[in-house]
Amino acid sequence: MPVVHYDSEAVEGEALPPTRRRFTRRGAWISFLLIPPIAVMALFVVYPILSALAYAFYDWTGLRREGFVGLENFRRVLFEPPYAAITWNAFQHNVIVFFVLMVVQNGVGFLLAWCLWRELPGARFHRVAVFLPVVLSTVIIGYMWKLFFHPIFGVVNQLLELVGLGALAQPWLGQSDTALGALILVNAWAWVGFPTLVFLAGLQRIPTEVLEAARMETDSEWTITRRIVWPLVAPSTTVVFILLFIGSFNWFELPYIMVGLDGSPFGSTDVLGLVFYRTAFGNVSAGVQDFGLGSALAVLMFLFIAVFATGWTLYLRKRELDV
Amino acid sequence: MSVAADERHGDRGGRGILSTYGRDGLIQIVLIANSVIMLFPVVIMVFSGFKTNMEIFQAPFRIPDFTDIGNFVTMATQTNFLRYLLNSLLVTGTALLATGILGIMAAYALARYTFAGASFILLFFMSGLMLPLKLAVIPLFILFRDLGILDSYWALIAIYTAMGLPSTVFILTGFIRTLPSELEDAARMDGASEARILWQIMLPLCRPALVIAGIYNLVPIWNDFFFPLVFIQTDALKTLPQGLTTFIGEYSTDYGAMFAGLTLAAAPITLLYIALSRQFINGMTSGAVK
C-alpha cells in the first residue's frame, strides 16, 4: 500500500510541467462547460428573484423606481384598506383550495393508485386515461369546463336535466357560493392523475415479501393498507403534499381563465395569484399598476411558501425515517 | 383468542374466491368509472367541435356527423391558429434545445470532473427546482425591457431555458454518474479530445435521460400561459395557449367554433401523449419519483 502511494506521488512529481499544462487546459474546458449554464441561471433566475426582494422596498411610478420606502409596501398590502381586505380574502380562498384539494385530489389519487396497483386487466388503459388531462394546457381545460358550466349551453346542467336532477341545474360559475367549489373540482379533475401515478410508483416499490408477510398475519386489506402500505409510501406522500401546497398558493391560470382577473362573482374566487397580477400589471377596472405593492405581495407569497414548504418537508422527511 | 383465529381462518376458506372476485370487481368499477369521468369531457369537447350552436343545445351528447368540419376550417383559415401553433413549436423547440445543450454541458462537468466548488455549483442549480419563478415576473419584465427583448420570442426562450435547466442538470448529472467511464477512458487513450468525447460518446449514451428531461420540461413549456401573458403583446407572436384566449374572445357566441378551437389546440400534445404515454408518465413524474 505505501509503495503504491510513493510510486504515484513520484510519478506525479516527475510529470509536473505537462500535468500543469494539462491542468490549466482542463480548467479552461471545465469553465467552458460550466460558465454558459451558470450565466443563464444567474441572469434569469437568481438575479430576478433577488431583485424581486429589493423592489418591494421601493416606491414605483409605473415602470420607474422612486425612493426607498422601507416596509411601507408590506404594511399597505397587509394592513391598509382597501388592499388588506383583498389580500386576506384571497389568502382564505387559497387555504380552502389547498385543504379541499388535499382531500379530493390527493385522496382520490391514493385510492386510484391503490386500485391500479392490483394490475387487473385494463390497468394500463386506466393509467393512460387518468393522466391525460395532466398533459393538457390549463387554458384548454379552463375554457372547456367554462363552456360545460354555461347555464344554458353547458353539459353539466344538461346532464343533470337528463338524469332527472334538473332542479339542481344552476349557474355554477355565476354565484358566489358555488364558483370556488366548481373551480376546485375542475382542478382536481385535471390534476388527479399526477398524485395517482406518483403514489402508484411508490406502491410498486414496496417489496412483495413485506406484503406476503403481512398477509400471513391478517386478511384485512384495510389493516395492511393503513399499517404497512401507507407508512411505506411516505416518500411519495411527502412529494405530493409539498407540490400541492406550492401549487395551491401559486394558483393563477385556472381562475384567470374561468372567472377572470377579478375573481368574480364578487371576489368569491379571488386568490393571491390574481391579486398579485392585478396589482402588478393592472386590469380593466383598476387600470393602475403598482410594481412596489406587487413585489411586496410576491415576496410575502414567496416567504410563506418557502417557510411552510421547508418546515413541512422536514417534518414529513422525519416521518419517513420514523417508519 | 382461538375463536378469533378460527373465525379468521373460516373466513378465508369460506369466501376466498368470492371475496377476491368481489373486491376485484369493485376495483374495476372504480377504475372504469374514473376513466369515464376523465375521458367523457374530452370526448364531448371533440364532439361539440363538429356541431352547430343549435345541435349543441338540443342534442349535446349525440354523436355528430364527423364530415361536418366547418368549424375546424373556420378555425384554421379565419383565425391565427396556425401562426400560434408555429410560434409554440418555435419557442418550445428552441428552449428545449438550449436546455438540452446547456444541461449536458453542466451535467458532464459536474458528474465527470472533480474540482473545488463542484457540489456548491450543483446545489446552485438544484435551488432552481423549487423556486416559483412566476413570483419573479416583475424583475424579469424590467430585465427583458432593458435587454430590448420584451414582446419577442427571445423573452420566452430565455425564461423557459432557465426554467428547464435545473431539472435537466439534475436528471442528467444523476444519469451520467451511473454510467461506467471505461468508454471515455478508452477514447482518451486513443487521443480523442475532451470535446469529441462529450459530443460523440456522452451524447448518444445520454439519450434516454435527455428524453426524460425533455418531456419533463416539454409539457410545462408547451402549455405555459403566464409568461406569454406578461411578455407578449403582438398577436402574431402569441403562443398556442395565449392565442386561444384571443380566438375564444372573438368567437364567444359560436360554441361549436370554440370547441373546435379547443380540440385543435389540444390535438398536438394529446396525440404525442398517446404515442409516447409511457415516456410521458415516466418523464413527468421523474421529479417526484426517486
Side-chain angles (χ1 to χ4, degrees), chain A residues 26 29 32-34 44 48-49 52 60 63 121 124 126 128 130-131 135-137 139 143 148 150 152 158-159 189 192 205 219 239 250 252-253 256 291 302, chain B residues 12 28 31 34-35 37-38 41 57 60-61 105 113-115 131-132 134 138-139 142 144-145 194-195 223 225-226 241 245 255 270 273 278 288-290:
Chain A
R26 180 176 173 272
W29 168 240
F32 166 77
L33 290 175
L34 281 173
F44 300 122
I49 286 188
W60 288 75
L63 292 177
R124 249 186 73 85
H126 295 304
V128 173
V130 77
F131 205 70
V135 307
L136 293 179
S137 168
V139 178
Y143 278 129
F148 287 164
H150 190 282
I152 298 158
Q158 281 172 325
L159 200 62
W189 176 85
V192 71
R205 274 201 307 272
D219 262 356
V239 170
N250 268 325
F252 174 77
E253 276 95 343
Y256 177 89
F291 275 5
F302 181 77
Chain B
R12 192 182 290 175
Q28 282 291 19
L31 288 175
N34 184 68
S35 289
I37 293 171
M38 287 294 140
F57 182 61
F61 306 110
M105 286 164 71
Y113 299 101
T114 41
F115 53 91
L131 296 172
K134 260 185 211 175
I138 293 176
I142 292 174
F144 289 156
R145 186 203 54 180
E194 294 295 311
N223 288 336
F225 170 63
F226 184 75
T245 61
Y255 293 86
T270 306
Y273 169 65
R278 185 184 292 274
V289 177
K290 288 169 292 177

Coordinates of all heavy atoms in Angstrom, one line a residue, chain A residues 26 29 32-34 44 48-49 52 60 63 121 124 126 128 130-131 135-137 139 143 148 150 152 158-159 189 192 205 219 239 250 252-253 256 291 302, chain B residues 12 28 31 34-35 37-38 41 57 60-61 105 113-115 131-132 134 138-139 142 144-145 194-195 223 225-226 241 245 255 270 273 278 288-290:
Chain A
R26 N -7.5 21.7 -18.7 CA -8.6 21.0 -18.1 C -9.5 22.1 -17.4 O -10.7 22.1 -17.6 CB -8.1 20.1 -17.0 CG -9.2 19.3 -16.3 CD -8.5 18.3 -15.4 NE -9.4 17.6 -14.5 CZ -9.8 18.1 -13.3 NH1 -9.3 19.2 -12.9 NH2 -10.6 17.4 -12.6
W29 N -11.4 23.9 -20.0 CA -12.5 23.1 -20.5 C -13.7 23.1 -19.6 O -14.9 23.2 -20.0 CB -11.9 21.7 -20.8 CG -12.9 20.6 -21.1 CD1 -13.1 19.5 -20.4 CD2 -13.8 20.5 -22.2 NE1 -14.1 18.7 -21.0 CE2 -14.5 19.3 -22.1 CE3 -14.1 21.4 -23.3 CZ2 -15.5 18.9 -23.0 CZ3 -15.1 21.0 -24.2 CH2 -15.8 19.8 -24.0
F32 N -15.4 26.3 -19.7 CA -16.2 26.5 -20.9 C -17.5 25.7 -20.8 O -18.6 26.2 -21.2 CB -15.4 25.9 -22.1 CG -16.2 25.6 -23.3 CD1 -16.6 26.7 -24.1 CD2 -16.6 24.4 -23.6 CE1 -17.3 26.5 -25.3 CE2 -17.4 24.1 -24.8 CZ -17.8 25.2 -25.6
L33 N -17.5 24.5 -20.1 CA -18.7 23.8 -19.9 C -19.7 24.4 -18.9 O -20.9 24.4 -19.1 CB -18.4 22.4 -19.4 CG -17.7 21.4 -20.4 CD1 -17.4 20.1 -19.7 CD2 -18.6 21.1 -21.6
L34 N -19.1 25.0 -17.9 CA -20.0 25.5 -16.8 C -20.5 26.9 -16.9 O -21.5 27.3 -16.4 CB -19.3 25.3 -15.4 CG -19.3 23.9 -14.9 CD1 -18.4 23.8 -13.7 CD2 -20.7 23.4 -14.6
F44 N -31.3 34.9 -15.3 CA -32.8 34.7 -15.5 C -33.5 34.1 -14.3 O -34.7 34.0 -14.2 CB -33.1 34.0 -16.7 CG -32.6 34.6 -18.0 CD1 -31.8 34.0 -18.9 CD2 -33.0 35.9 -18.3 CE1 -31.3 34.6 -20.0 CE2 -32.6 36.6 -19.4 CZ -31.7 35.9 -20.3
P48 N -33.3 37.9 -11.0 CA -34.7 38.3 -10.8 C -35.3 38.1 -9.4 O -36.0 38.9 -8.9 CB -35.5 37.5 -11.9 CG -34.5 37.1 -12.9 CD -33.2 37.0 -12.1
I49 N -35.0 36.9 -8.8 CA -35.5 36.6 -7.5 C -35.0 37.6 -6.5 O -35.7 38.1 -5.6 CB -35.3 35.1 -7.2 CG1 -36.3 34.3 -8.0 CG2 -35.5 34.9 -5.7 CD1 -36.4 32.9 -7.7
A52 N -36.6 40.9 -7.0 CA -38.0 40.9 -6.5 C -38.0 41.3 -5.0 O -38.8 42.1 -4.6 CB -38.6 39.6 -6.7
W60 N -42.9 52.9 -6.5 CA -42.8 52.9 -8.0 C -43.8 53.7 -8.7 O -45.0 53.8 -8.2 CB -43.0 51.4 -8.5 CG -41.9 50.5 -8.2 CD1 -41.6 50.0 -7.0 CD2 -40.9 50.0 -9.1 NE1 -40.5 49.2 -7.1 CE2 -40.1 49.2 -8.4 CE3 -40.7 50.2 -10.5 CZ2 -39.0 48.5 -9.0 CZ3 -39.6 49.5 -11.1 CH2 -38.8 48.7 -10.3
L63 N -43.2 52.1 -14.5 CA -42.0 51.3 -14.6 C -40.8 51.9 -14.0 O -39.7 51.4 -14.0 CB -41.7 50.9 -16.0 CG -42.8 50.0 -16.7 CD1 -42.4 49.8 -18.2 CD2 -42.8 48.7 -16.1
P121 N -56.8 -6.6 -15.4 CA -56.9 -6.3 -16.8 C -57.4 -4.9 -17.1 O -58.3 -4.4 -16.4 CB -57.9 -7.3 -17.3 CG -58.0 -8.4 -16.3 CD -57.6 -7.8 -15.0
R124 N -53.5 -0.7 -17.6 CA -52.7 0.2 -18.4 C -53.5 1.3 -19.1 O -53.1 2.5 -19.1 CB -52.0 -0.6 -19.6 CG -50.5 -0.8 -19.4 CD -50.0 -1.5 -20.7 NE -50.0 -0.6 -21.8 CZ -49.0 0.3 -22.1 NH1 -48.0 0.4 -21.3 NH2 -49.1 1.1 -23.1
H126 N -56.4 2.4 -18.0 CA -56.9 3.4 -17.0 C -55.8 4.4 -16.5 O -56.0 5.5 -16.2 CB -57.4 2.6 -15.7 CG -58.6 1.8 -16.0 ND1 -59.7 2.3 -16.6 CD2 -58.8 0.5 -15.9 CE1 -60.6 1.4 -16.8 NE2 -60.1 0.2 -16.3
V128 N -53.3 5.5 -18.5 CA -53.2 6.5 -19.5 C -54.3 7.5 -19.4 O -54.1 8.7 -19.6 CB -53.1 5.8 -20.9 CG1 -53.1 6.8 -22.0 CG2 -51.8 4.9 -21.0
V130 N -56.2 8.4 -16.8 CA -56.2 9.3 -15.7 C -55.2 10.4 -15.8 O -55.3 11.5 -15.3 CB -56.1 8.5 -14.3 CG1 -54.6 8.1 -14.1 CG2 -56.5 9.4 -13.2
F131 N -54.1 10.1 -16.6 CA -53.0 11.1 -16.7 C -53.3 12.1 -17.9 O -52.6 13.1 -18.0 CB -51.7 10.4 -16.9 CG -50.5 11.2 -16.5 CD1 -50.3 11.4 -15.1 CD2 -49.6 11.6 -17.4 CE1 -49.2 12.2 -14.7 CE2 -48.5 12.4 -17.0 CZ -48.3 12.6 -15.7
V135 N -51.5 16.4 -19.1 CA -50.6 16.9 -20.2 C -51.3 18.1 -21.0 O -50.6 18.7 -21.8 CB -50.1 15.8 -21.2 CG1 -49.5 14.7 -20.4 CG2 -51.3 15.3 -22.1
L136 N -52.6 18.3 -20.7 CA -53.3 19.4 -21.4 C -53.0 20.7 -20.8 O -52.9 20.8 -19.5 CB -54.8 19.1 -21.5 CG -55.2 17.9 -22.3 CD1 -56.7 17.8 -22.3 CD2 -54.7 18.1 -23.8
S137 N -53.0 21.8 -21.6 CA -52.8 23.1 -21.0 C -54.0 23.5 -20.1 O -55.1 23.2 -20.4 CB -52.7 24.1 -22.2 OG -52.8 25.4 -21.7
V139 N -55.2 26.3 -20.0 CA -56.1 27.2 -20.7 C -57.1 26.4 -21.4 O -58.3 26.7 -21.4 CB -55.2 28.0 -21.8 CG1 -56.1 28.8 -22.6 CG2 -54.2 28.8 -21.1
Y143 N -61.1 26.7 -20.3 CA -62.2 27.0 -21.3 C -63.2 25.9 -21.5 O -64.4 26.2 -21.6 CB -61.6 27.5 -22.6 CG -61.1 28.9 -22.6 CD1 -59.8 29.2 -23.1 CD2 -61.9 29.9 -22.2 CE1 -59.4 30.5 -23.1 CE2 -61.5 31.2 -22.2 CZ -60.2 31.5 -22.6 OH -59.8 32.8 -22.6
F148 N -68.7 24.0 -20.4 CA -69.5 23.0 -19.8 C -70.4 23.5 -18.7 O -71.5 23.1 -18.4 CB -68.7 21.8 -19.2 CG -68.0 21.0 -20.3 CD1 -67.0 20.1 -20.0 CD2 -68.5 21.0 -21.6 CE1 -66.4 19.3 -20.9 CE2 -67.9 20.2 -22.6 CZ -66.9 19.4 -22.2
H150 N -71.6 26.5 -18.6 CA -72.5 27.5 -19.1 C -74.0 27.2 -18.7 O -74.4 26.1 -18.9 CB -72.4 27.6 -20.6 CG -73.1 28.8 -21.2 ND1 -74.5 28.8 -21.4 CD2 -72.7 29.9 -21.7 CE1 -74.8 29.9 -22.0 NE2 -73.7 30.7 -22.1
I152 N -76.9 27.7 -19.9 CA -77.9 27.1 -20.9 C -77.2 26.1 -21.8 O -77.8 25.0 -22.0 CB -78.4 28.3 -21.7 CG1 -79.2 29.3 -20.8 CG2 -79.4 27.8 -22.8 CD1 -79.3 30.7 -21.4
Q158 N -77.2 20.2 -18.5 CA -78.0 19.3 -19.4 C -77.9 17.9 -18.9 O -78.9 17.2 -19.0 CB -77.4 19.4 -20.8 CG -77.9 20.7 -21.5 CD -77.2 20.9 -22.8 OE1 -76.1 20.6 -23.0 NE2 -78.0 21.5 -23.8
L159 N -76.8 17.5 -18.3 CA -76.7 16.1 -17.8 C -77.6 16.0 -16.6 O -78.2 14.9 -16.4 CB -75.2 15.9 -17.4 CG -74.8 14.4 -17.3 CD1 -74.9 13.7 -18.6 CD2 -73.3 14.3 -16.9
W189 N -60.1 17.4 -11.2 CA -60.2 16.5 -12.4 C -59.0 16.6 -13.2 O -58.5 15.5 -13.7 CB -61.4 17.0 -13.2 CG -61.6 16.3 -14.5 CD1 -62.3 15.1 -14.6 CD2 -61.1 16.7 -15.8 NE1 -62.2 14.8 -16.0 CE2 -61.5 15.7 -16.7 CE3 -60.4 17.8 -16.2 CZ2 -61.2 15.8 -18.0 CZ3 -60.1 17.8 -17.6 CH2 -60.5 16.9 -18.5
V192 N -55.7 15.0 -10.9 CA -55.7 13.8 -10.0 C -54.7 12.8 -10.6 O -54.1 12.0 -9.8 CB -57.1 13.3 -9.9 CG1 -57.6 12.7 -11.2 CG2 -57.2 12.3 -8.8
R205 N -42.9 0.1 -5.4 CA -41.6 -0.2 -4.9 C -41.6 -0.9 -3.6 O -40.6 -1.3 -3.0 CB -40.9 1.2 -4.7 CG -40.1 1.7 -5.9 CD -39.1 2.7 -5.5 NE -39.6 3.7 -4.7 CZ -40.2 4.8 -5.2 NH1 -40.2 5.0 -6.5 NH2 -40.7 5.7 -4.5
D219 N -56.1 -10.8 7.2 CA -56.8 -10.8 5.9 C -57.3 -9.5 5.6 O -57.7 -9.2 4.4 CB -58.0 -11.8 6.1 CG -57.7 -13.1 5.5 OD1 -56.6 -13.3 5.0 OD2 -58.6 -14.0 5.6
V239 N -43.7 14.2 -1.3 CA -43.6 15.0 -2.6 C -45.0 15.5 -3.0 O -45.1 16.7 -3.4 CB -43.0 14.0 -3.7 CG1 -43.1 14.7 -5.0 CG2 -41.6 13.7 -3.4
N250 N -49.8 29.2 -5.4 CA -49.5 29.9 -6.7 C -50.6 29.9 -7.7 O -50.4 30.3 -8.8 CB -48.3 29.1 -7.3 CG -47.0 29.7 -6.9 OD1 -46.9 30.9 -6.7 ND2 -46.0 28.9 -6.7
F252 N -53.2 30.3 -10.3 CA -53.4 31.5 -11.1 C -54.2 31.2 -12.4 O -55.3 31.8 -12.7 CB -52.1 32.3 -11.4 CG -52.3 33.4 -12.4 CD1 -52.8 34.6 -11.9 CD2 -52.0 33.3 -13.7 CE1 -53.1 35.7 -12.8 CE2 -52.2 34.4 -14.6 CZ -52.7 35.6 -14.1
E253 N -53.6 30.3 -13.3 CA -54.2 30.2 -14.6 C -55.6 29.7 -14.6 O -56.4 30.3 -15.4 CB -53.3 29.1 -15.4 CG -52.1 29.6 -16.0 CD -50.9 29.4 -15.2 OE1 -51.0 29.2 -14.0 OE2 -49.8 29.5 -15.7
Y256 N -58.0 32.5 -13.6 CA -57.9 33.6 -14.6 C -58.7 33.2 -15.8 O -59.5 34.1 -16.3 CB -56.4 33.8 -15.0 CG -56.2 34.8 -16.1 CD1 -56.0 36.2 -15.7 CD2 -56.3 34.5 -17.4 CE1 -55.9 37.1 -16.7 CE2 -56.1 35.5 -18.4 CZ -55.9 36.8 -18.0 OH -55.8 37.7 -19.0
F291 N -45.8 48.3 -9.2 CA -44.8 47.3 -9.0 C -44.3 47.1 -7.6 O -43.9 46.1 -7.2 CB -43.6 47.6 -9.9 CG -43.7 47.1 -11.3 CD1 -44.9 46.5 -11.7 CD2 -42.7 47.2 -12.2 CE1 -45.0 46.0 -13.0 CE2 -42.8 46.7 -13.5 CZ -44.0 46.1 -13.9
F302 N -43.8 34.4 -1.5 CA -42.6 33.6 -1.6 C -42.2 33.1 -0.2 O -41.9 31.9 0.0 CB -41.5 34.4 -2.3 CG -40.2 33.6 -2.5 CD1 -40.1 32.7 -3.5 CD2 -39.2 33.9 -1.6 CE1 -39.0 32.0 -3.6 CE2 -38.0 33.2 -1.8 CZ -37.9 32.2 -2.8
Chain B
R12 N -61.4 -17.1 5.6 CA -60.5 -17.2 4.4 C -61.0 -18.4 3.5 O -61.1 -18.2 2.3 CB -59.1 -17.5 4.9 CG -58.1 -17.3 3.7 CD -56.7 -17.6 4.2 NE -56.2 -16.5 5.1 CZ -55.1 -16.6 5.7 NH1 -54.3 -17.7 5.6 NH2 -54.7 -15.7 6.5
Q28 N -62.5 -2.8 -10.3 CA -62.7 -2.5 -11.7 C -63.8 -1.4 -11.9 O -63.6 -0.5 -12.8 CB -63.2 -3.8 -12.5 CG -62.0 -4.7 -12.8 CD -61.1 -4.2 -13.9 OE1 -61.0 -3.0 -14.1 NE2 -60.3 -5.1 -14.5
L31 N -62.2 2.0 -11.2 CA -61.3 2.4 -12.3 C -62.1 2.8 -13.6 O -61.8 3.7 -14.2 CB -60.3 1.3 -12.6 CG -59.2 1.1 -11.5 CD1 -58.4 -0.1 -11.9 CD2 -58.4 2.3 -11.4
N34 N -63.8 6.0 -13.1 CA -62.9 7.1 -13.1 C -62.5 7.4 -14.6 O -62.4 8.6 -15.0 CB -61.7 6.8 -12.3 CG -60.8 8.0 -12.3 OD1 -61.1 9.1 -11.7 ND2 -59.6 7.9 -12.9
S35 N -62.2 6.4 -15.4 CA -61.8 6.6 -16.7 C -62.9 7.3 -17.5 O -62.6 8.2 -18.4 CB -61.4 5.3 -17.4 OG -60.1 4.9 -16.9
I37 N -65.1 9.4 -16.2 CA -65.1 10.8 -15.8 C -63.9 11.5 -16.5 O -64.1 12.7 -16.8 CB -65.0 10.8 -14.3 CG1 -66.2 10.3 -13.6 CG2 -64.8 12.3 -13.8 CD1 -66.2 10.1 -12.1
M38 N -62.8 10.9 -16.6 CA -61.6 11.5 -17.3 C -61.9 11.8 -18.7 O -61.5 12.8 -19.3 CB -60.4 10.6 -17.1 CG -59.9 10.6 -15.7 SD -59.3 12.2 -15.3 CE -59.8 12.3 -13.6
P41 N -65.6 14.2 -20.7 CA -65.5 15.6 -21.0 C -64.7 15.9 -22.3 O -65.1 16.7 -23.1 CB -64.8 16.3 -19.8 CG -65.1 15.3 -18.7 CD -65.0 14.0 -19.3
F57 N -77.1 22.7 -28.3 CA -78.1 23.0 -27.3 C -79.2 21.8 -27.3 O -79.6 21.4 -26.2 CB -78.8 24.3 -27.7 CG -79.9 24.7 -26.8 CD1 -79.6 25.0 -25.4 CD2 -81.2 24.8 -27.2 CE1 -80.6 25.4 -24.6 CE2 -82.2 25.2 -26.3 CZ -81.9 25.5 -25.0
P60 N -76.7 17.6 -26.9 CA -75.3 17.7 -26.5 C -74.5 16.4 -26.5 O -73.3 16.5 -26.7 CB -75.4 18.3 -25.1 CG -76.7 18.0 -24.6 CD -77.6 17.9 -25.8
F61 N -75.2 15.3 -26.3 CA -74.5 14.0 -26.2 C -74.5 13.2 -27.4 O -74.0 12.1 -27.4 CB -75.0 13.3 -25.0 CG -75.0 14.1 -23.7 CD1 -76.2 14.5 -23.1 CD2 -73.8 14.5 -23.1 CE1 -76.2 15.3 -22.0 CE2 -73.8 15.3 -22.0 CZ -75.0 15.7 -21.4
M105 N -23.8 20.1 -20.9 CA -22.5 20.7 -20.6 C -22.3 20.8 -19.1 O -21.3 20.3 -18.5 CB -22.5 22.1 -21.1 CG -22.3 22.2 -22.6 SD -22.7 23.8 -23.3 CE -21.3 24.8 -22.7
Y113 N -15.9 15.4 -13.6 CA -14.6 16.1 -13.1 C -14.8 16.4 -11.6 O -15.9 16.8 -11.2 CB -14.3 17.3 -13.9 CG -14.1 17.1 -15.4 CD1 -15.1 17.4 -16.3 CD2 -12.9 16.6 -15.8 CE1 -15.0 17.2 -17.6 CE2 -12.7 16.4 -17.2 CZ -13.8 16.7 -18.1 OH -13.6 16.4 -19.4
T114 N -13.7 16.3 -10.9 CA -13.7 16.7 -9.5 C -12.9 18.0 -9.4 O -11.8 18.1 -9.9 CB -13.1 15.7 -8.6 OG1 -12.0 15.2 -9.2 CG2 -14.1 14.6 -8.2
F115 N -13.6 19.0 -8.9 CA -12.9 20.3 -8.7 C -13.5 21.1 -7.6 O -14.7 20.7 -7.2 CB -13.0 21.1 -10.0 CG -14.4 21.3 -10.5 CD1 -15.1 22.4 -10.2 CD2 -14.9 20.3 -11.4 CE1 -16.4 22.5 -10.7 CE2 -16.2 20.5 -11.9 CZ -17.0 21.6 -11.5
L131 N -37.9 27.0 -6.7 CA -38.3 28.4 -6.7 C -39.4 28.7 -7.7 O -39.3 28.4 -8.9 CB -37.1 29.3 -7.1 CG -35.9 29.3 -6.1 CD1 -34.7 30.0 -6.7 CD2 -36.3 29.9 -4.8
P132 N -40.5 29.2 -7.2 CA -41.6 29.6 -8.2 C -41.2 30.8 -8.9 O -41.3 31.9 -8.4 CB -42.8 29.8 -7.3 CG -42.4 29.8 -5.9 CD -40.9 29.6 -5.9
K134 N -42.5 32.4 -11.3 CA -43.7 33.3 -11.5 C -43.6 34.5 -10.7 O -43.9 35.6 -11.1 CB -45.0 32.5 -11.2 CG -45.7 32.0 -12.3 CD -47.0 31.4 -11.8 CE -47.5 30.2 -12.5 NZ -48.7 29.6 -11.9
I138 N -42.0 40.4 -12.1 CA -41.8 41.9 -12.3 C -40.3 42.2 -12.6 O -40.1 42.9 -13.6 CB -42.2 42.6 -11.0 CG1 -43.7 42.5 -10.8 CG2 -41.8 44.1 -11.0 CD1 -44.2 43.1 -9.5
P139 N -39.3 41.7 -11.9 CA -37.9 41.9 -12.3 C -37.6 41.4 -13.7 O -36.9 42.0 -14.5 CB -37.1 41.2 -11.3 CG -38.0 41.0 -10.1 CD -39.4 41.0 -10.6
I142 N -38.8 43.9 -16.2 CA -37.9 45.0 -16.3 C -36.6 44.6 -17.0 O -36.1 45.3 -17.9 CB -37.7 45.6 -15.0 CG1 -39.0 46.3 -14.5 CG2 -36.6 46.7 -15.0 CD1 -39.0 46.8 -13.1
F144 N -36.1 42.2 -19.2 CA -36.4 42.0 -20.7 C -36.6 43.3 -21.4 O -36.2 43.5 -22.5 CB -37.6 41.0 -20.9 CG -37.3 39.6 -20.5 CD1 -38.3 38.7 -20.2 CD2 -36.0 39.1 -20.5 CE1 -38.0 37.4 -19.8 CE2 -35.7 37.8 -20.1 CZ -36.7 37.0 -19.8
R145 N -37.2 44.3 -20.7 CA -37.4 45.6 -21.3 C -36.0 46.2 -21.5 O -35.7 46.7 -22.6 CB -38.2 46.5 -20.4 CG -38.6 47.8 -21.0 CD -38.9 48.8 -20.0 NE -37.8 49.0 -19.0 CZ -37.8 49.8 -18.0 NH1 -38.8 50.5 -17.7 NH2 -36.8 49.8 -17.1
E194 N -11.4 16.1 -25.4 CA -12.5 16.1 -24.4 C -13.8 16.5 -25.1 O -14.9 15.9 -24.8 CB -12.2 17.1 -23.3 CG -11.0 16.7 -22.4 CD -11.3 15.4 -21.6 OE1 -12.3 15.3 -21.0 OE2 -10.4 14.5 -21.6
A195 N -13.8 17.5 -26.0 CA -15.0 17.9 -26.7 C -15.5 16.8 -27.5 O -16.8 16.6 -27.6 CB -14.7 19.1 -27.5
N223 N -47.3 24.2 -22.6 CA -48.6 24.6 -22.0 C -48.6 26.0 -21.3 O -49.7 26.5 -20.9 CB -49.1 23.6 -21.0 CG -49.6 22.3 -21.7 OD1 -49.9 22.3 -22.9 ND2 -49.5 21.2 -21.0
F225 N -48.9 29.6 -19.9 CA -49.7 30.7 -20.3 C -49.3 32.0 -19.6 O -49.4 33.1 -20.2 CB -51.2 30.3 -19.9 CG -52.1 31.5 -20.0 CD1 -52.4 32.0 -21.2 CD2 -52.8 32.0 -18.9 CE1 -53.3 33.1 -21.3 CE2 -53.7 33.0 -19.0 CZ -53.9 33.6 -20.2
F226 N -48.7 31.8 -18.4 CA -48.4 33.0 -17.6 C -47.4 33.9 -18.2 O -47.6 35.1 -18.4 CB -47.9 32.5 -16.2 CG -47.7 33.7 -15.3 CD1 -48.8 34.3 -14.7 CD2 -46.4 34.1 -15.0 CE1 -48.6 35.4 -13.8 CE2 -46.2 35.1 -14.1 CZ -47.3 35.8 -13.5
P241 N -51.5 28.5 -26.2 CA -52.4 28.7 -25.1 C -52.8 30.2 -25.0 O -54.0 30.5 -24.7 CB -51.6 28.4 -23.8 CG -50.5 27.5 -24.3 CD -50.2 27.9 -25.7
T245 N -56.9 32.4 -26.0 CA -57.7 33.4 -25.3 C -58.2 34.4 -26.3 O -59.3 34.9 -26.2 CB -56.9 34.1 -24.2 OG1 -55.8 34.7 -24.8 CG2 -56.5 33.1 -23.1
Y255 N -70.4 28.4 -30.1 CA -69.9 27.3 -29.2 C -69.2 26.3 -30.0 O -68.2 25.7 -29.6 CB -71.1 26.8 -28.4 CG -71.5 27.8 -27.4 CD1 -72.5 28.8 -27.8 CD2 -70.9 27.9 -26.2 CE1 -72.8 29.8 -26.9 CE2 -71.3 28.9 -25.3 CZ -72.2 29.9 -25.7 OH -72.6 30.9 -24.8
T270 N -51.9 15.8 -27.2 CA -52.7 14.6 -26.9 C -52.2 13.5 -27.8 O -52.0 12.4 -27.3 CB -54.2 14.8 -27.2 OG1 -54.6 16.0 -26.4 CG2 -55.0 13.6 -26.7
Y273 N -48.9 12.4 -26.6 CA -49.0 11.6 -25.4 C -49.5 10.2 -25.6 O -49.0 9.3 -25.0 CB -50.0 12.4 -24.5 CG -50.4 11.6 -23.2 CD1 -49.5 11.3 -22.3 CD2 -51.7 11.2 -23.1 CE1 -49.9 10.5 -21.2 CE2 -52.1 10.5 -22.0 CZ -51.2 10.1 -21.0 OH -51.6 9.4 -19.9
R278 N -45.9 6.0 -22.1 CA -45.0 5.5 -21.0 C -43.9 6.6 -20.7 O -43.6 6.9 -19.6 CB -44.4 4.2 -21.5 CG -43.5 3.6 -20.4 CD -42.8 2.3 -21.0 NE -43.8 1.3 -21.3 CZ -44.2 0.4 -20.3 NH1 -43.7 0.5 -19.1 NH2 -45.1 -0.5 -20.7
A288 N -40.7 13.7 -9.1 CA -41.3 13.3 -7.8 C -41.0 11.9 -7.4 O -41.2 11.5 -6.3 CB -42.8 13.5 -7.9
V289 N -40.5 11.1 -8.3 CA -40.3 9.7 -8.0 C -38.8 9.4 -8.0 O -38.1 9.7 -9.0 CB -40.9 8.8 -9.1 CG1 -40.6 7.3 -8.8 CG2 -42.4 9.0 -9.1
K290 N -38.3 9.0 -6.8 CA -36.8 8.8 -6.8 C -36.5 7.3 -6.9 O -37.2 6.5 -6.5 CB -36.3 9.3 -5.4 CG -36.3 10.9 -5.4 CD -36.0 11.4 -4.0 CE -37.2 11.0 -3.1 NZ -37.0 11.3 -1.7

